[in-house]
Amino acid sequence: MRTLEQLVRPNIKSLKPYSSARDEYSGAEAIFLDANENPFNDPYNRYPDPYQRKLKAKIAELKNIASDSLFLGNGSDEPIDLSFRAFCEPGVDNIVSIDPTYGMYQVAADINNIAVRKVKLTSEFELDVDALLKATDSNTKLLFICSPNNPTGNSFKKKDIERILNEFNGITILDEAYIDFVPEKSFLPELSKYPNLIILQTFSKAWGMAGIRLGMAFASPKIVSVFNHIKYPYNINILTQQKAFDLLQNPEAKDEWVNILNNEKEILKENLSQFSFVEKIYPSDANYLLIKTEKPLAIYDFLVGQGIIIRNRSTVSLCEGCLRITIGSESENASLLDALKKYSS
Ligand code: PMP
């Protein structure tokens, strides 16, 4: 297995990071005349903690991990981009990704001028582990697995993910954005077994905080330290740090929402299966359903006309005819079903 030192880009390894005022002095009580801040308009006048210590301690406690294995980003999109900047030499290195999957891996790769080697899932939306490993070479730095996968909704088999973790000679990024809907399938309890694993989670889904932009990357303290060196100094603003800390006092709210949404998903599935135009509903571990229909665009357009917006995924690999429907509240889902009844009549 290549070590972190062998995988990090040479310029990043030798980088002298920006040292902010709050890096140089982080004590709480003092007269702060070091950061050219305005003394008025407390508390918004002060720069936030660059390492989000108070918030990280709370998350570490909830997740049962050490704080130094946690990086916080402006959404989990930030650590996706940082992974390219840390490990991939533009125009030289490549990444391997499953297909179909979350679109930002490709966009981040394109921004960073990194080739993406896409490996199709099987027709059952499972990992083709042999093909994934075969697609890698000595310039493959990252391998992206999203589980539960967006847009297919399924989680991958534990033994398949383990094989990749054991056999891929680079950094595996396991995107668990939807894992709170199936917490028992998370790899987080096994993080310390895999020094080249980065697990992404987010507060945007089950936690209901997409608007405050807060994502998590769990990894070895060494990888977290690389991210800390290259991130914007104050990447998480004080409003987000404070609001997330407050909302995390009540994790039971998240558990309750997960129960409601998982239950609503079953009800929606049952009701959708009654429509003759729904050919297939794929199994989902996430807060959305992927359905196959004969006329995805006609249904999509009809629903827009009814003021209901779903996602047309019919042009995505292996998803011909597919629509992705996010699970809403009981009344939102009822409105969707009413509109679909109108469509079918
Ligand atoms: N990963 C996956 C699989 C996603 O679907 C999304 C958002 N749609 C993200 C990451 C990004 O989440 P965030 O809001 O934390 O940037």
Side-chain angles (χ1 to χ4, degrees):
M1 217 26 104
R2 281 182 286 184
T3 63
L4 192 65
E5 286 68 29
Q6 292 168 312
L7 289 164
V8 174
R9 291 168 65 199
N11 62 311
I12 300 298
K13 231 184 322 186
S14 61
L15 179 79
K16 188 177 180 305
Y18 177 73
S19 176
S20 70
R22 284 299 155 273
D23 271 324
E24 287 170 21
Y25 183 87
S26 60
E29 292 302 316
I31 295 172
F32 287 108
L33 302 176
D34 57 348
N36 301 343
E37 295 156 334
N38 187 324
F40 306 112
N41 206 28
D42 178 66
Y44 310 107
N45 56 336
R46 298 295 172 197
Y47 283 106
D49 175 0
Y51 301 110
Q52 311 96 24
R53 280 163 270 233
K54 189 174 156 198
L55 177 57
K56 274 188 182 165
K58 184 76 204 156
I59 297 171
E61 179 195 319
L62 273 172
K63 297 278 178 182
N64 200 19
I65 49 119
S67 272
D68 62 359
S69 286
L70 171 62
F71 172 84
L72 293 179
N74 185 320
S76 43
D77 287 339
E78 183 180 356
I80 291 171
D81 180 55
L82 290 181
S83 300
F84 283 93
R85 291 162 57 198
F87 299 108
C88 300
E89 202 56 47
V92 176
D93 287 332
N94 68 73
I95 66 144
V96 168
S97 172
I98 56 172
D99 182 36
T101 195
Y102 179 47
M104 271 307 284
Y105 315 142
Q106 174 80 57
V107 175
D110 290 344
I111 291 168
N112 289 282
N113 192 22
I114 302 299
V116 180
R117 299 176 172 191
K118 291 186 178 182
V119 176
K120 282 213 169 47
L121 299 175
T122 68
S123 55
E124 297 292 291
F125 292 156
E126 291 296 343
L127 295 176
D128 185 343
V129 180
D130 288 328
L132 282 163
L133 292 170
K134 222 168 132 195
T136 67
D137 64 13
S138 59
N139 287 116
T140 308
K141 295 294 184 61
L142 310 174
L143 194 157
F144 281 89
I145 307 278
C146 179
S147 182
N149 188 34
N150 182 2
T152 58
N154 59 313
S155 306
F156 298 117
K157 292 181 186 133
K158 184 160 195 257
K159 68 168 182 28
D160 285 350
I161 298 176
E162 278 169 349
R163 227 189 110 201
I164 287 165
L165 291 171
N166 288 320
E167 295 182 33
F168 170 51
N169 201 2
I171 304 276
T172 300
I173 301 188
L174 182 59
D175 188 340
E176 294 189 340
Y178 299 95
I179 204 69
D180 295 300
F181 298 98
V182 274
E184 67 281 3
K185 295 189 181 174
S186 176
F187 266 74
L188 194 53
E190 297 176 53
L191 181 70
S192 58
K193 273 207 258 176
Y194 303 105
N196 290 356
L197 169 63
I198 299 173
I199 296 176
L200 303 178
Q201 294 185 6
T202 181
F203 288 102
S204 297
K205 311 295 175 186
W207 287 91
M209 301 185 212
I212 69 169
R213 309 304 301 130
L214 189 64
M216 297 163 272
F218 301 96
S220 71
K222 275 187 182 176
I223 293 179
V224 169
S225 164
V226 172
F227 283 174
N228 281 334
H229 278 114
I230 63 177
K231 76 185 183 78
Y232 288 158
Y234 301 111
N235 61 328
I236 311 291
N237 69 69
I238 55 168
L239 300 176
T240 295
Q241 292 193 38
Q242 185 58 52
K243 194 69 197 170
F245 186 84
D246 292 347
L247 292 172
L248 289 175
Q249 302 307 314
N250 182 19
E252 294 76 21
K254 181 262 299 173
D255 296 337
E256 199 183 321
W257 294 331
V258 165
N259 283 339
I260 292 171
L261 293 172
N262 280 343
N263 190 39
E264 281 296 317
K265 181 167 63 182
E266 292 312 310
I267 296 170
L268 192 60
K269 216 159 131 181
E270 178 59 35
N271 282 289
L272 286 171
S273 68
Q274 313 293 321
F275 293 111
S276 59
F277 58 81
V278 174
E279 291 172 7
K280 182 162 184 173
I281 304 173
Y282 292 91
S284 170
D285 274 346
N287 65 335
Y288 50 85
L289 289 171
L290 189 74
I291 65 168
K292 197 178 179 82
T293 69
E294 228 168 63
K295 294 183 181 158
L297 195 58
I299 297 171
Y300 175 83
D301 286 341
F302 180 83
L303 288 176
V304 171
Q306 301 291 309
I308 297 173
I309 317 301
I310 61 169
R311 201 86 197 263
N312 180 5
R313 298 281 80 184
S314 59
T315 57
V316 170
S317 310
L318 305 180
C319 294
E320 201 187 322
C322 287
L323 295 166
R324 195 192 69 192
I325 303 172
T326 304
I327 311 302
S329 65
E330 187 182 353
S331 71
E332 288 172 332
N333 301 334
S335 299
L336 170 75
L337 292 168
D338 282 347
L340 289 174
K341 270 180 210 146
K342 271 194 219 160
Y343 172 83
S344 65
S345 62

